[in-house]
Amino acid sequence: TGLSSGQRVVTIQKGLLYRVRGSHVTLWCRVSGYQGPVEQNFQWSVYLPSAPEREVQIISTADPSFPYAIYTQRVRSREIYVERLQGDAARLHIAELQERDAGEYECHTPTTDERYFGSYSAKTNLSVIEDTLSASMESQALTRAEGGSVELTCEVSKSTIQHTHLSVGWYHLQGEGDSHAEEILTLSKDFVLRPGASYMQRFLMGDVRLDKVGNTTYKLSIRAVKPSDQGQLYCEATEWIEDPDKTWKDISRKQTEKTSLTVTSLGKDLHVTIAAAESSLSEGDNLQLNCCVEAQNNHDRLFQVFWLLNSTEVAMVGPSGVLNWKEEYEERAKQGQLQAFKQSDSVYVLIIHEVGLLDKGMYSCSVSELEKAPGDFQSIQTKLSSGLQVNVKPIGYRMHLSMTTSTAQIVAGDALIFLCEVRGTTNPLSVRWWHLQQHQGPPTLLATMERDGSLTLGSAYEDRGAQGSIRLKKTGSSTFTLVISNTSAPSDSGSYRCEVVEWSRGKSWTQTEETTVTVSPLNLGLSAMLISRTASIKYTQSFELFCQLSASYALEEMPVSVTWQFHPKQPTQDYQELVRVLPDGMVAWGTAQPHFLKKTQLTKAASSSKLLIHGATADDEGTYRCEVGIWRRSSPPRGEPAAVVKSNAVGIKVSLPESKLQVATRESSMEAAPSADAAIECRIMFAQKNALLAITWYFLPPPPAHTTPLQIVRVNYSNILEYGAEFSSLTQRSRFQSQRISSDIFRLQILSTNHADQGSYYCVVEEWLWLADSWYKLGERESGRTVLEFKLSGKQLDVEKANGSISVREGAEATVGCLVQGVQSPASRVSAIWFHEEERSGARPLLHLHRDGTVGYAQQGRAGRLQLRRPTAGDFSLTLQRVEAGDAGVYYCQVQEWQQGGKGEAWALRASALSGYTKLTTLPPESTVLSRICTSPPLLYFILYLPLVLILLLAIAGFYCYFRKVRK
């Protein structure tokens, strides 16, 4: 659409931007098309990944109170600031990027226009990545003659996930105090070699080269070195990333240790120089001196070298390499503190380990050229090097340490700030911060800053560091700051120690300072009391609970949350959360007891909360308490509160209406003929008119068959039937039926009774009532027991009573006998029922041979494996085919004799008898012969090779017979 005159447009640096943690980061923002003053104001905010919809204010050019608490300290300490580029352009600076600084940044310009028209803010994204760049080079002290060559190698590597480029360059410093580095040669990020201005001609001539000789190795080669090359050389690596606006940005830069290069000029004859990697030492450091002899054809000439301290001889190295120490140095040399040797034809070395104050002074070396003379050597020329002053500082001279803190006593949640300042040294420093809790054993390492500025948190503080609660920085060259935000009590109370280590030439010295702080806990004097007007509530009555809060400080100034908890009367592991009111007023209901949501009213004040529950039911009965949380003022309330206190528990009892159910409890017995029907009654003596009844029928077989009552059938108050496990088959469900004859009589109807039905029967009646919101069971009553027995005629059947047992393998066939002895009347008919009784359960019918010869199966799953063969009229033996493990148990049969009174009359049971018991035990199936052969390699080989052996024997016998015949 284009922009019309006066339409405001805010532009911000295009993202997504990747920047390295710990680096200095800038984000520019400019505004155009505005009205009003030339100088516009800028406000910066961030939307963090943890809460992408929530604005967190950072800094404003107009309002000092604009930053949120988490940024206030960083803004005050100028770690975060805004640089104004011009009236309508500014740049946000973050001096030391932290991991928690990642997010979406917004630049907003408050309006100065007559009306709102255009855009007033713009956003960009910033991602914080780890610094993986490393660069290293061995520190050396090199001496080269003019015209010689030098080669240095630098190891550079990175492991950044994002696509980045590297540039590697070498730089030259003229002297130790020189701060301006001169570029020698650089391999740019675009893989282009770029020489420094003073090395351009030598680069074009090929005397200065930079080669990549490995994946991470870069080599600098300088041929024909000049005196101007003398000084310190180092390597610098830079990592670059391409921003969305197509510009390349350096995100990390690393320098290596420095190498000292001394270039000696060749005179007409002998030239002697002395050099040291470091001439300013501290007690305990090591000193290495190199005496360089520059001459033509060194390897063909003889030299004698003298080492001198303050013009006094220390040692002499002869032309053949023999070493002689002066008497006052012999003992130190024997102890290994002194070394002198010839390193090459042109370099002689003197090493003093752990220098002392007596070793300081002016060192020089004197070189005499010798030639052979009769019987000895004679000197033909002597050259003395210039003197090299070596200074040794005493230990006590190094540094002076002081430590201060912002305040010695704070409240939990406030920030602790410690300053550790070092004076009196320019040597590299490292610092370690320790925390000493009173009576808590040894100190705990809090954080470490190494000499190179790398930071490491102690293992006990890594989590807090990841949350941004621990910050360690270095201001200037000798001031260290430790900031601990979101403090906790009493864990953050105690003594804090600043331990500074001064480093010099491989040695270190340590000084410490301590200060003590107290962090007062937020639960100081914190208590909560729960009050109820009454502890016993009638059904559907409303009741109130009051949670009263008190503390040793003003609660009106603190963020407070209140959680109401409930422990129902049913056993549970712990209290369940009903509802929580957060400091910002947000209400969150728990999910464990959802019925409270629709009938509970909640109010909250600064120091109290009230819970009003309407229409009490049995589900509301239990124990209540309130839990109060106090949050830190230094950060927005999220996560868990800093201090929590639980109130006393208050029990609420909800009284239900009493059950007045009465059931007839008189014991009785009844007789029934086998295969006849039986009816057992359960009589209700009294029940409430609006109550619903549920009934459960139980059966207790006569001992010793079963000691636990078996559930036959349950009819709940909604008339839904549920049969017990022993009565759930289709046959059993058709034989046992529960009926309600009238409002006060239930009847259990048993059809076609058999021997297994003998035992005790009773009912359990439950009284259910609808109360407020659900059905509740008011109580239950158990009836008296009715014993069912069989009544038969005087005639008895002669059935074999002998008990026995058999063992059968699974998969085989088993037969259990049932034999009726004697001769029945031709007018009689016989029926038989087979029973199977498993361990820990009652007898259950298997098969029923009716008097008309038809067969019925009570267990359809076994029907295909059961067979009645009946070889004779009185033999009712049962055969089980393909025996399974579940067939184990006791088997017996019940034989019944039936007679017809006359033609056309009904058949009547005249006699019944039980057989003896047969116990069947199942065994695992036996392995076949083939399986034995397959699992026995020798036997298998024998069977496989047996035919071959027989054929071989027959062949031998045939040849034998043939040869005998030929010979004859």
Side-chain angles (χ1 to χ4, degrees):
T1 60
L3 300 177
S4 62
S5 176
Q7 182 172 347
R8 178 183 289 259
V9 177
V10 176
T11 308
I12 196 172
Q13 189 168 344
K14 189 176 181 181
L16 169 70
L17 301 175
Y18 292 97
R19 295 297 184 262
V20 168
R21 181 167 64 91
S23 64
H24 188 119
V25 175
T26 62
L27 297 173
W28 59 259
C29 179
R30 64 173 59 96
V31 59
S32 61
Y34 56 89
Q35 298 176 349
V38 174
E39 186 171 285
Q40 295 286 300
N41 284 311
F42 295 85
Q43 294 176 346
W44 291 87
S45 302
V46 66
Y47 297 83
L48 302 177
S50 58
E53 302 300 325
R54 182 182 174 204
E55 178 187 7
V56 181
Q57 298 176 179
I58 302 176
I59 193 171
S60 168
T61 58
D63 184 4
S65 64
F66 182 78
Y68 277 7
I70 58 174
Y71 287 103
T72 300
Q73 184 59 36
R74 297 175 69 183
V75 171
R76 289 177 180 173
S77 62
R78 293 281 295 174
E79 183 181 334
I80 297 178
Y81 61 94
V82 175
E83 174 191 8
R84 186 176 290 279
L85 303 177
Q86 57 190 41
D88 53 6
R91 183 185 291 139
L92 173 68
H93 287 257
I94 303 177
E96 185 176 341
L97 188 65
Q98 301 178 11
E99 188 173 351
R100 62 171 177 163
D101 292 332
E104 184 180 37
Y105 283 75
E106 180 180 36
C107 173
H108 176 75
T109 60
T111 182
T112 58
D113 307 333
E114 295 179 357
R115 61 189 181 94
Y116 281 93
F117 187 45
S119 65
Y120 289 80
S121 65
K123 295 181 179 180
T124 191
N125 283 288
L126 174 66
S127 178
V128 181
I129 60 177
E130 289 297 319
D131 188 357
T132 63
L133 179 65
S134 68
S136 61
M137 182 179 70
E138 181 183 1
S139 177
Q140 306 175 71
L142 302 178
T143 301
R144 294 291 185 268
E146 185 177 357
S149 62
V150 173
E151 288 188 351
L152 299 175
T153 59
C154 179
E155 294 290 333
V156 179
S157 65
K158 66 179 180 69
S159 59
T160 309
I161 299 176
Q162 288 72 27
H163 176 71
T164 59
H165 287 188
L166 288 177
S167 63
V168 179
W170 262 268
Y171 294 85
H172 173 229
L173 291 170
Q174 287 287 350
E176 291 187 7
D178 188 5
S179 61
H180 174 68
E182 181 183 19
E183 182 181 13
I184 301 175
L185 184 58
T186 298
L187 178 62
S188 73
K189 66 179 184 300
D190 303 317
F191 311 106
V192 176
L193 287 173
R194 184 183 67 242
S198 59
Y199 286 86
M200 175 65 76
Q201 187 63 34
R202 297 169 67 184
F203 169 73
L204 296 175
M205 295 174 61
D207 289 341
V208 178
R209 292 172 51 94
L210 194 159
D211 300 291
K212 187 176 182 181
V213 296
N215 289 333
T216 60
T217 306
Y218 298 80
K219 182 174 72 173
L220 172 70
S221 302
I222 303 178
R223 293 189 307 178
V225 296
K226 299 180 179 181
S228 61
D229 296 328
Q230 181 168 296
Q232 293 183 316
L233 307 179
Y234 66 89
C235 168
E236 181 176 278
T238 305
E239 186 174 7
W240 301 78
I241 192 168
E242 187 177 18
D243 284 344
D245 60 1
K246 303 303 180 180
T247 62
W248 286 87
K249 170 63 179 175
D250 55 324
I251 59 174
S252 182
R253 193 180 297 267
K254 295 291 174 64
Q255 289 184 4
T256 65
E257 297 288 333
K258 297 178 177 62
T259 288
S260 173
L261 175 62
T262 301
V263 180
T264 60
S265 301
L266 289 174
K268 293 182 180 180
D269 200 354
L270 187 63
H271 185 74
V272 179
T273 59
I274 188 171
E278 181 61 59
S279 60
S280 295
L281 307 174
S282 299
E283 286 183 273
D285 290 346
N286 295 332
L287 172 64
Q288 177 176 332
L289 298 170
N290 293 342
C291 183
C292 300
V293 181
E294 301 292 341
Q296 299 290 337
N297 301 321
N298 275 17
H299 57 281
D300 295 328
R301 301 164 71 173
L302 301 176
F303 297 106
Q304 180 176 260
V305 177
F306 294 88
W307 286 101
L308 308 173
L309 171 59
N310 297 325
S311 301
T312 302
E313 182 180 340
V314 176
M316 183 271 290
V317 180
S320 59
V322 177
L323 172 65
N324 289 315
W325 293 98
K326 293 299 289 183
E327 181 179 355
E328 57 268 31
Y329 293 96
E330 286 182 352
E331 185 62 29
R332 293 178 65 184
K334 290 179 181 179
Q335 296 176 2
Q337 295 182 4
L338 303 178
Q339 289 179 276
F341 54 88
K342 179 180 179 181
Q343 188 179 68
S344 66
D345 291 333
S346 59
V347 178
Y348 294 79
V349 178
L350 172 65
I351 298 176
I352 303 177
H353 297 283
E354 298 181 0
V355 298
L357 296 177
L358 296 178
D359 295 321
K360 67 180 179 179
M362 187 70 71
Y363 284 83
S364 60
C365 62
S366 175
V367 179
S368 299
E369 183 178 6
L370 306 178
E371 67 178 6
K372 291 184 178 179
D376 202 353
F377 294 94
Q378 66 179 10
S379 174
I380 57 176
Q381 65 171 323
T382 300
K383 289 294 178 67
L384 178 67
S385 71
S386 58
L388 176 65
Q389 179 66 40
V390 174
N391 297 315
V392 180
K393 294 185 291 184
I395 293 178
Y397 176 75
R398 285 184 182 82
M399 60 179 170
H400 301 284
L401 183 63
S402 62
M403 181 180 179
T404 58
T405 182
S406 55
T407 179
Q409 187 166 0
I410 63 171
V411 178
D414 293 346
L416 278 172
I417 302 175
F418 299 97
L419 294 177
C420 199
E421 188 175 0
V422 182
R423 298 187 305 276
T425 182
T426 58
N427 287 331
L429 303 173
S430 63
V431 63
R432 284 185 291 183
W433 293 91
W434 300 85
H435 181 205
L436 298 85
Q437 288 182 286
Q438 191 173 9
H439 310 302
Q440 294 292 325
T444 303
L445 179 62
L446 202 157
T448 301
M449 177 180 282
E450 301 295 346
R451 287 170 287 176
D452 60 0
S454 60
L455 301 177
T456 304
L457 294 178
S459 58
Y461 290 87
E462 288 179 350
D463 290 342
R464 295 180 66 179
Q467 298 167 4
S469 298
I470 306 292
R471 291 191 291 113
L472 181 63
K473 62 181 180 179
K474 184 177 182 181
T475 305
S477 61
S478 58
T479 301
F480 301 90
T481 303
L482 171 66
V483 179
I484 304 176
S485 57
N486 294 325
T487 53
S488 300
S491 58
D492 287 333
S493 294
S495 296
Y496 286 81
R497 176 187 300 167
C498 172
E499 180 182 287
V500 178
V501 182
E502 180 184 9
W503 300 86
S504 178
R505 308 304 299 170
K507 296 296 180 179
S508 62
W509 294 267
T510 303
Q511 284 192 21
T512 62
E513 285 290 331
E514 288 185 14
T515 187
T516 301
V517 297
T518 301
V519 181
S520 300
L522 287 174
N523 59 3
L524 188 64
L526 182 63
S527 65
M529 177 179 294
L530 188 60
I531 304 170
S532 174
R533 298 174 188 257
T534 177
S536 182
I537 309 298
K538 292 182 179 181
Y539 215 85
T540 70
Q541 183 181 352
S542 299
F543 63 96
E544 290 179 327
L545 296 170
F546 297 90
C547 182
Q548 195 67 36
L549 177 63
S550 62
S552 59
Y553 45 84
L555 291 171
E556 290 78 5
E557 301 176 1
M558 303 299 299
V560 178
S561 65
V562 178
T563 303
W564 287 92
Q565 299 174 338
F566 174 61
H567 193 294
K569 65 178 181 180
Q570 291 83 4
T572 57
Q573 293 183 348
D574 203 352
Y575 278 84
Q576 300 170 346
E577 183 174 312
L578 292 184
V579 61
R580 175 179 295 187
V581 185
L582 298 176
D584 59 1
M586 183 179 294
V587 177
W589 288 90
T591 59
Q593 298 288 337
H595 73 279
F596 280 100
L597 176 59
K598 297 181 179 179
K599 64 175 188 176
T600 302
Q601 182 179 349
L602 180 68
T603 59
K604 175 180 174 289
S607 59
S608 65
S609 180
K610 182 178 73 170
L611 192 70
L612 173 60
I613 300 176
H614 299 277
T617 65
D619 291 340
D620 304 332
E621 183 173 328
T623 306
Y624 294 79
R625 74 180 181 190
C626 63
E627 180 181 280
V628 178
I630 306 296
W631 304 73
R632 292 183 173 92
R633 291 176 291 188
S634 58
S635 60
R638 62 172 178 262
E640 296 297 325
V644 176
V645 63
K646 294 180 176 63
S647 73
N648 56 298
V650 171
I652 297 296
K653 180 175 178 57
V654 179
S655 302
L656 296 175
E658 295 183 3
S659 174
K660 299 180 181 180
L661 177 66
Q662 296 181 19
V663 179
T665 58
R666 182 179 178 181
E667 304 285 337
S668 63
S669 62
M670 63 182 300
E671 293 181 344
S675 296
D677 297 341
I680 299 171
E681 290 188 351
C682 180
R683 184 176 294 273
I684 310 301
M685 306 304 294
F686 181 82
Q688 296 188 49
K689 292 182 179 181
N690 55 346
L692 295 183
L693 300 179
I695 184 169
T696 306
W697 290 98
Y698 290 94
F699 169 60
L700 184 63
H706 214 285
T707 57
T708 303
L710 303 176
Q711 178 183 320
I712 302 173
V713 61
R714 168 181 167 81
V715 184
N716 68 9
Y717 59 81
S718 299
N719 291 321
I720 297 176
L721 279 67
E722 178 185 353
Y723 280 87
E726 304 295 334
F727 296 85
S728 59
S729 68
L730 184 60
T731 301
Q732 294 291 74
R733 293 174 66 175
S734 63
R735 293 180 56 241
F736 290 85
Q737 300 176 3
S738 179
Q739 303 171 343
R740 187 165 188 174
I741 306 302
S742 64
S743 62
D744 57 352
I745 296 178
F746 291 87
R747 177 181 293 169
L748 176 66
Q749 191 78 20
I750 307 175
L751 305 179
S752 301
T753 59
N754 57 49
H755 170 77
D757 298 333
Q758 293 187 100
S760 299
Y761 294 82
Y762 65 95
C763 69
V764 174
V765 181
E766 302 169 3
E767 185 178 24
W768 291 80
L769 193 65
W770 177 267
L771 297 173
D773 58 351
S774 182
W775 287 96
Y776 290 90
K777 188 174 78 171
L778 301 184
E780 66 179 30
R781 299 291 185 269
E782 181 180 314
S783 72
R785 301 191 178 188
T786 300
V787 178
L788 175 63
E789 299 175 336
F790 283 166
K791 179 181 179 182
L792 300 173
S793 64
K795 184 179 178 180
Q796 295 293 326
L797 286 175
D798 187 6
V799 180
E800 185 176 353
K801 298 290 186 179
N803 298 328
S805 63
I806 58 174
S807 298
V808 180
R809 292 196 178 275
E810 295 177 23
E813 186 178 274
T815 301
V816 288
C818 178
L819 185 61
V820 179
Q821 299 173 349
V823 180
Q824 282 76 39
S825 169
S828 298
R829 293 195 182 178
V830 179
S831 65
I833 303 175
W834 274 99
F835 295 92
H836 176 214
E837 183 176 342
E838 295 180 279
E839 186 177 359
R840 298 182 181 176
S841 66
R844 301 173 63 185
L846 276 178
L847 177 148
H848 190 178
L849 173 64
H850 298 281
R851 62 178 178 268
D852 59 0
T854 60
V855 178
Y857 296 94
Q859 299 183 24
Q860 294 298 324
R862 299 185 183 182
R865 298 192 296 111
L866 302 178
Q867 185 177 8
L868 280 175
R869 293 180 177 174
R870 299 202 63 189
T872 63
D875 191 344
F876 296 90
S877 299
L878 176 66
T879 299
L880 285 81
Q881 298 177 337
R882 302 184 302 280
V883 172
E884 300 176 356
D887 295 333
V890 175
Y891 292 80
Y892 64 92
C893 73
Q894 179 186 11
V895 182
Q896 299 170 333
E897 182 179 3
W898 301 78
Q899 288 184 354
Q900 196 174 23
K903 187 175 181 180
E905 294 185 8
W907 290 87
L909 181 65
R910 300 304 181 189
S912 177
L914 295 176
S915 70
Y917 295 93
T918 300
K919 183 176 182 181
L920 174 64
T921 303
T922 61
L923 302 174
E926 186 176 11
S927 301
T928 63
V929 175
L930 180 60
S931 66
R932 292 178 180 272
I933 292 174
C934 293
T935 57
S936 177
L939 184 58
L940 179 61
Y941 296 154
F942 175 75
I943 292 173
L944 291 175
Y945 292 109
L946 181 58
L948 298 177
V949 174
L950 292 177
I951 293 171
L952 181 61
L953 291 176
L954 289 174
I956 293 172
F959 281 116
Y960 176 73
C961 293
Y962 171 75
F963 283 118
R964 287 192 62 183
K965 184 176 180 181
V966 171
R967 291 178 65 183
K968 289 181 180 181

